[in-house]
Amino acid sequence: MPDTVVLAADATIGSPAVNISIFGVFVLVTLVITFRASRNNKSAADYYAAGRNISGTQNGLAIAGDYLSAASFLGIAGAIAVYGYDGFLYSIGFLVAWLVALLLVAELMRNTARYTMADVLAFRMRQGPVRTAAAISTLAVSLFYLLAQMAGAGGLVTLLLGITGEAAQAIVVVLVGALMIIYVLVGGMRGTTYVQIIKATLLIAGALVMTLWVLTKFGFNLSALLGDAQALAVEGRDVTAPGAQYGASSTSKLDFVSLGLALVLGTAGLPHVLMRFYTVPTAKDARRSVVWAIWLIGIFYLFSLVIGYGAGALVGPERILGAPGAVNSAAPLLAFELGGTVLLGVIAGVAFATILAVVAGLTITASASFAHDVYASVIKKGQVSPNGEVRVARITAVVIGAISIGLGILALQAGLNIAFLVALAFAVAASANLPTILYTLFWKRFTTQGALWSMYGGLITCLVLIIFSPVVSGAPVNPATGLSPSLFQDVDFSWFPLNNPGLVSIPLSFFLGWLGTVLSKEKPDLEKNAELEVRSLTGIGAEKAVQH
C-alpha cells in the first residue's frame, strides 16, 4: 500500500501545469462575472441584497451554492469513505435542517425585507444591545465556517500541486483569502450570487459525472460497491452499519445526538443563509428558493453517498488518510483514480470554486452585520449615508479576511475534518441565533433581556465547551496519521467530553431566553410585536421600512 500512495502522489503532482491552468480558468471566469456585476452596485440594497431582484429559482441555486460548501463535497465524501454509514449522517442532518428553515423562518424572515438577521431581532427590542449581540454572534458563526473553508482550500491545493511544508501551505491559504476579499470588495451580494449559481451548477454536474462513473465501474450494482468498500475498510470496522464513528462508547453516542441536534437546528440560524432570503422580491420567491434548494441539495447528497463509498472501494481509507488533507482528499483522489490528472484537475477546480464562493458569501454577511448593525445603527445612530455604510462594510471584509486566513492556516496544519468544523459553526448558530429568532417571531412576551440572555448565553456556553473539548486539545492520537485530531497537538486542557456542544448549549439557550424574559422588569412592546407579526406574515409595510 505505501508504494501505491507514492505512485498516486507522483502522478497527482506530475502535471501541475494542467491543475494550475484549470484553477486559473475558474478564477478568471468568476472574476469577470464579479466585475460585471459590480457595475450595478449603486446603493446599500445592491451591495447587501443584490437589489432584491434575484428570482426564486436563481436564489435556490445560489442557496445551494452557499450551502454545498467544501464540507459537503470534501469532508462528507471523506467521512463516508473512511467511516461509511456514520459519515452519511452528516448529509442527512444537513438536508433535514432545510425543513426547519422552510417551515419556520424562510418566509417570515424575508417578509421583514431587511439586510441582516439583527433587523428582525431588534425590531421590537432595544436596538443597541440586541444589534450588538446579533453582530457578535454573526461574526462568531462566520469565522467558524470560514475556518473550515480556508482549511479545505489549503488542503485541496496542496494535494493538487503536491506542495509540502507548512510555509507553502500557508501561502496557499493566503492566496485564497486574497481572492475572497476581492470578490466581496468588488462584486458585493450580486457578484457573489452569480458566482454561487455557476458554482452550484458545476458542482452538481461534477458530482453527477463522478457518481455515474463509479456506478459504471460496479455495473450499477450498489451491493458490489458496498462490498468492495467493506473489503478495503480499516480492519474491524463495518462501514455498512451504524457505529463505525459514533458507536464505540456511550460518549460517542451522545456526541452523535449532539451533532445531529446542531446540524438539524443550525441551518435556520446561519446568518449567511438567512441573508439570502433578502435578495428575492416576494415571499413566494423565498419559499420557491428554499424548495429548489432542498431538491438540489438532496440530489447532491445522494451523489455524495456513491462518491464516498466509491472512494472507499477504489482508493481505500489508508491512501486517503495518508494523503495531504487526510479525509478531505477522498473526492480528489477518487477523481484521479477514475479519470487521471484531467478529471482530478476539473473536480478540484470545481471544489476550489466552491470554496471561493462560500467564503465570499460568509465574508459579505459578516461585514454587512458589523457595518449595518454596529457601525450604522449603534455607533452612528442611523446618521450615516448608505455609501459610508458600504465603505465600512468593505473595510470590515478585509479585516475578517485577514483573521480567517490566520485561523485557516492553524486548522489546515492540524489536519481537522472540515465537515466537522462546519458542524461546530452549526452548533454556534443553533445555540446563539435560532432560539432568539423563534422567540422573536412567535412569542409576544419576549423581551430585550430574554434576547440578550439567549444570544450571549448560547454563544458563550458553546464557545467555552468547544475550547475545553477534544476538538481543541487532548484527543488521542490517530494511528493512521500519527496526529491527534485536536487543534493543539501537545497540550491537554479538555474537560468537556463531547466534540460537539449542541446537546448542552442549544437547550440552555432556549432556557435562558425564557428565564431572562420571565425575570425581566421590562414590559414587552405589544404594539411593535403586532406590527412585526403582520409584516412577517404578509410583507405589508416592510418595503416602505427599507426605503426609509
Side-chain angles (χ1 to χ4, degrees), residues 121-145:
L121 301 184
F123 187 84
R124 59 189 179 97
M125 311 292 179
R126 295 200 306 276
Q127 295 283 314
V130 174
R131 285 188 179 276
T132 302
I136 291 171
S137 168
T138 297
L139 290 170
V141 174
S142 299
L143 280 174
F144 266 105
Y145 225 120

Side-chain angles (χ1 to χ4, degrees), residues 18-41:
V18 173
N19 301 331
I20 293 172
S21 299
I22 295 172
F23 270 4
V25 169
F26 278 105
V27 171
L28 185 63
V29 170
T30 50
L31 282 175
V32 168
I33 293 167
T34 302
F35 276 101
R36 288 180 67 86
S38 69
R39 298 174 185 174
N40 296 318
N41 284 341

